[in-house]
Amino acid sequence: MKIVGVVAAVAVAIAVAVVVPGSATATGKGSDCESLDVQVPGSVVEKQIVPAPGAGTAAALLSGSAKPGFTIHGKLCLPEGGAPKTVMLAMHGILYTNGYWNVEYKPDTYNFSQYMNEAGYAVFAIDRLGYGGSSKPPAALVTLDAQAEVVHEIIGKLRRGEIGGQKFQRVMLVGYSYGTATSWRETSKYNDADAILTTAWGSTFQNIPLLRVFTSFRPAQLDPRFRDRPAGYLYSPEGRNQNYFYDLSNVDPEIIKYSNEVLQDTITAGEIASFYPRYGGIPLANAPSGKEITLPLSNQTKSIKVPTFLVNGTGELFFCGIDQQHCTSSQELQKQESKYFSEAACFRAAVIPNAGHNLNLQRNAPFAYETMRTFADQVLGPDGDNLENYKRDCAAFSGSNVPGGQPRFGALK
């Protein structure tokens, strides 16, 4: 897959971003949220594992002697009573913004940040580079690898107290879809988070559903909401109405409408182009002989050395294997995915019934949040005190060590 129309966009100057203290507002019960703009260096776009055409020249122009930076916009939500020691750094997937974690429609059901605040955790949900209120570099430069470098920078800032004036001792990466890929890529390279809690992803994929989504993309400028996006930014006129994103038997039609009207954003050609080359080419159909297509990224996951958790829905059509066989139970998903991780990752998995790719937008989102919170409590806790004990004991219940018996869904025991 090639990226076109990059040369003209490369000449666009990127202004130096400034850290802007946002206005603090109370959002839902048990939360105190503040919108923040954080600066990261322009060098984040230089480190490309899958080089984009023209990326070297573009990176040189964008990160010359002046070293311009990029703005990453986010929302920092703290529990009542002040900042805990543990913060969740949450990353959305394609076509979304940080609003995926901060849903305002029926927040008692769908708002992830509010739920985790009430459990005692801080949440910093960002607009990934190229999305929402964050900077919009030339599309060729906004790749999975650039996103991982951005996250690496933000982890350091959270630990040093450079975001919202809060110094966090523990950082847990939380990812949804491409945000999970970002978490895995960043951690495989730096291992600088304390744990990673990831959703809606996997180490194999089904190509036909993904191709249907990818082929729906159109130039972002065709939508009045995104006319200011640079060349190579794309959106989907179909939104997220398809059964590829939801278990339609368990979704509120109003949340689908909210998703398409409020949450929807764009994707860059660079993120698309850095997806398929990791599979050695662009397959036109599912793998022959009933085999899944495995991500070369899964080889990188062998380098992850921090506790890792994966949550998928039973209706996950992209990353749960043929006919969703990998997600028939929590045990099966753990068995299928643990082979791509080392023992150091203490890998665990859970499956949410009657849920599709958009776990946070299903009617049983609180059940998914309970599952995620259980892992967070076990591995770190709001005070971050549990990590060493968790890593010492995790071999008994992680990796391929899954209990038999009936399928186990939801909150871990």
Side-chain angles (χ1 to χ4, degrees):
M1 185 176 294
K2 296 182 179 179
I3 301 171
V4 296
V6 174
V7 176
V10 167
V12 178
I14 303 297
V16 176
V18 179
V19 178
V20 179
S23 58
T25 58
T27 302
K29 57 185 179 181
S31 298
D32 185 12
C33 296
E34 182 179 11
S35 291
L36 296 168
D37 289 335
V38 180
Q39 183 181 357
V40 297
S43 59
V44 296
V45 300
E46 296 177 10
K47 302 170 183 178
Q48 307 282 355
I49 201 169
V50 180
T57 302
L61 288 174
L62 290 172
S63 58
S65 58
K67 290 290 182 185
F70 300 115
T71 295
I72 299 300
H73 178 75
K75 180 177 282 189
L76 177 64
C77 293
L78 304 178
E80 291 180 349
K85 295 179 182 178
T86 301
V87 62
M88 296 180 172
L89 173 53
M91 290 159 285
H92 60 83
I94 66 172
L95 304 178
Y96 274 150
T97 66
N98 82 77
Y100 179 78
W101 308 102
N102 294 293
V103 173
E104 296 178 353
Y105 172 75
K106 294 186 177 180
D108 287 348
T109 298
Y110 300 108
N111 193 302
F112 173 89
S113 293
Q114 177 179 304
Y115 180 94
M116 292 303 172
N117 285 167
E118 292 172 1
Y121 295 93
V123 179
F124 185 48
I126 62 171
D127 293 340
R128 294 188 302 118
L129 187 66
Y131 292 83
S134 295
S135 293
K136 313 294 189 303
L141 303 184
V142 185
T143 65
L144 177 60
D145 302 298
Q147 301 286 11
E149 295 299 325
V150 168
V151 171
H152 175 58
E153 293 289 334
I154 292 178
I155 289 174
K157 290 178 179 293
L158 287 167
R159 292 192 188 279
R160 294 190 297 270
E162 297 174 10
I163 297 177
Q166 307 294 337
K167 189 173 184 179
F168 296 99
Q169 295 183 16
R170 300 291 191 187
V171 179
M172 176 181 292
L173 295 184
V174 180
Y176 158 68
S177 193
Y178 219 94
T180 291
T182 303
S183 298
W184 287 5
R185 174 63 187 130
E186 194 279 341
T187 307
S188 71
K189 187 173 183 180
Y190 294 108
N191 279 294
D192 53 351
D194 295 290
I196 52 179
L197 192 169
T198 52
T199 68
W201 198 255
S203 299
T204 64
F205 78 95
Q206 299 303 298
N207 192 56
I208 290 176
L210 281 170
L211 276 180
R212 178 176 170 184
V213 174
F214 284 170
T215 56
S216 74
F217 294 150
R218 301 290 182 270
Q221 298 75 20
L222 296 178
D223 188 309
R225 295 173 294 179
F226 310 124
R227 283 177 179 168
D228 62 340
R229 301 295 164 98
Y233 282 68
L234 310 169
Y235 89 111
S236 175
E238 297 182 12
R240 287 175 174 258
N241 294 316
Q242 310 160 16
N243 67 334
Y244 295 135
F245 298 108
Y246 304 95
D247 180 330
L248 294 178
S249 70
N250 189 33
V251 65
D252 180 348
E254 289 300 316
I255 199 69
I256 297 179
K257 181 179 178 182
Y258 177 88
S259 170
N260 292 335
E261 294 180 356
V262 178
L263 301 183
Q264 178 155 282
D265 206 77
T266 58
I267 183 177
T268 67
E271 283 196 308
I272 298 174
S274 60
F275 180 87
Y276 273 118
R278 292 170 179 273
Y279 305 93
I282 303 176
L284 298 179
N286 280 333
S289 303
K291 296 181 180 179
E292 279 107 28
I293 302 172
T294 301
L295 288 71
L297 183 63
S298 63
N299 295 328
Q300 297 175 20
T301 59
K302 291 285 188 181
S303 300
I304 292 176
K305 294 180 173 62
V306 303
T308 302
F309 188 44
L310 175 64
V311 183
N312 280 337
T314 54
E316 170 62 60
L317 298 184
F318 302 118
F319 300 107
C320 275
I322 298 170
D323 297 326
Q324 295 77 60
Q325 293 177 1
H326 296 180
C327 294
T328 54
S329 72
S330 299
Q331 293 96 318
E332 186 63 22
L333 180 60
Q334 185 165 322
K335 183 177 73 173
Q336 293 294 337
E337 288 290 331
S338 63
K339 67 185 74 171
Y340 301 105
F341 292 81
S342 71
E343 291 184 6
C346 298
F347 182 84
R348 299 176 76 182
V351 173
I352 306 302
N354 307 118
H357 192 68
N358 286 359
L359 287 165
N360 288 23
L361 305 183
Q362 299 280 177
R363 292 185 190 273
N364 59 348
F367 191 66
Y369 297 162
E370 180 187 0
T371 303
M372 300 176 203
R373 184 254 178 104
T374 301
F375 170 76
D377 285 350
Q378 290 179 353
V379 70
L380 290 177
D383 289 332
D385 297 332
N386 300 336
L387 183 59
E388 295 309 315
N389 287 339
Y390 184 90
K391 289 195 293 187
R392 184 194 65 221
D393 299 333
C394 72
F397 51 80
S398 64
S400 59
N401 296 316
V402 294
Q406 296 299 311
R408 184 184 69 239
F409 296 106
L412 299 170
K413 304 299 183 184

